[in-house]
Amino acid sequence: MSFDAHTVSFAVLEKSAYVRFSVLALSSIFFLVDPFAALPTFLAVTAGADAHRRRKMAWKASVTALVVLSAFAVAGQYIFRMFGITLPAFEIAGGIILLLIGLDMLEAKRSPTQESTEETTEAAQKEDAGIVPLGIPMLAGPGSITSVMVLVGQAQTKWQMVAILMSIFITAAICYLVLGNSDRVARAMGDTGVRILVRIMGLLLVALAVQYFVNGLVDLGVIAKP
């Protein structure tokens, strides 16, 4: 009897709890940070800057997002206990926040939750806006922080925490690559390409938000587990 090694390997990966959680962690964090949607603002803030200064600001923004999100990942369980917040409550609240952001992304625009007009104007006037507001709240904003907190609440083992931290690191690295080469990325994708990508991410984010909301209701016993 013969078998396809590739099919077997894929089936094993598909059933792996580690792979499923890792994919969930990376996708939820990356879709919330979404460096592609931040491209127009980054280009406006760095207008007139040379390539070196643009990369320097991208580096500061990416490192800021890495530090902020990692800090919430490490301190997540303590925050839950300190304020007496239950995971279902955070899942439902997080689902609502992610839904609002996702609906805005479906219209190919940045949500006010991630980036307000006042912050964009302030960033354009600052000499160095890499940390604030590019790093926080434009990259590491309420949505991405909420997503990290929900993932931490769901994590039961050390390898799941490692998966969350690795997802944050990978997301920050992609942010640096995208923003650091923002002019090239913008030219390659074009305005239409960026809008299409943002809409696709928005659709996936809306689905993720509904899943968070359903998980919270299931954990509360309001509805039966699907």
Side-chain angles (χ1 to χ4, degrees):
M1 184 176 65
S2 62
F3 65 95
D4 188 341
H6 295 289
T7 303
V8 173
S9 300
F10 181 78
V12 171
L13 288 175
E14 191 177 34
K15 294 179 180 178
S16 169
Y18 178 80
V19 172
R20 290 201 304 272
F21 187 87
S22 299
V23 171
L24 171 65
L26 179 58
S27 59
S28 58
I29 294 172
F30 180 75
F31 291 160
L32 263 301
V33 174
D34 195 5
F36 293 101
L39 265 178
T41 300
F42 185 83
L43 289 171
V45 170
T46 58
D50 57 23
H52 175 72
R53 183 166 178 267
R54 186 175 286 128
R55 282 195 294 270
K56 184 177 179 181
M57 291 183 69
W59 172 258
K60 287 186 177 181
S62 302
V63 171
T64 299
L66 172 65
V67 172
V68 170
L69 295 179
S70 297
F72 275 95
V74 172
Q77 295 288 358
Y78 301 102
I79 294 174
F80 278 129
R81 288 199 294 266
M82 183 183 302
F83 293 100
I85 302 172
T86 62
L87 177 60
F90 216 95
E91 285 176 328
I92 293 173
I96 294 173
I97 294 174
L98 302 192
L99 180 62
L100 294 174
I101 295 174
L103 290 175
D104 282 328
M105 289 173 65
L106 285 175
E107 298 180 15
K109 64 181 182 181
R110 292 281 281 180
S111 171
T113 305
Q114 297 172 296
E115 171 186 321
S116 67
T117 305
E118 292 79 8
E119 287 168 338
T120 303
T121 303
E122 177 189 353
Q125 296 172 347
K126 291 181 67 173
E127 185 66 25
D128 189 352
I131 297 176
V132 178
L134 287 177
I136 180 172
M138 290 185 186
L139 294 182
S144 53
I145 291 173
T146 299
S147 183
V148 167
M149 292 287 286
V150 171
L151 290 167
V152 168
Q154 295 174 341
Q156 302 294 325
T157 60
K158 289 183 178 180
W159 66 259
Q160 289 177 320
M161 281 301 302
V162 171
I164 294 172
L165 292 172
M166 284 300 300
S167 297
I168 294 172
F169 177 81
I170 292 172
T171 298
I174 295 175
C175 284
Y176 174 68
L177 291 175
V178 171
L179 298 181
N181 299 280
S182 53
D183 51 344
R184 297 179 183 177
V185 174
R187 282 199 303 270
M189 297 185 65
D191 292 338
T192 303
V194 171
R195 284 196 295 269
I196 291 174
L197 184 58
V198 170
R199 284 192 170 100
I200 293 173
M201 289 185 173
L203 178 60
L204 296 174
L205 188 56
V206 168
L208 183 64
V210 173
Q211 187 62 58
Y212 276 3
F213 194 80
V214 171
N215 289 347
L217 294 178
V218 169
D219 292 341
L220 287 174
V222 176
I223 60 176
K225 185 175 182 179

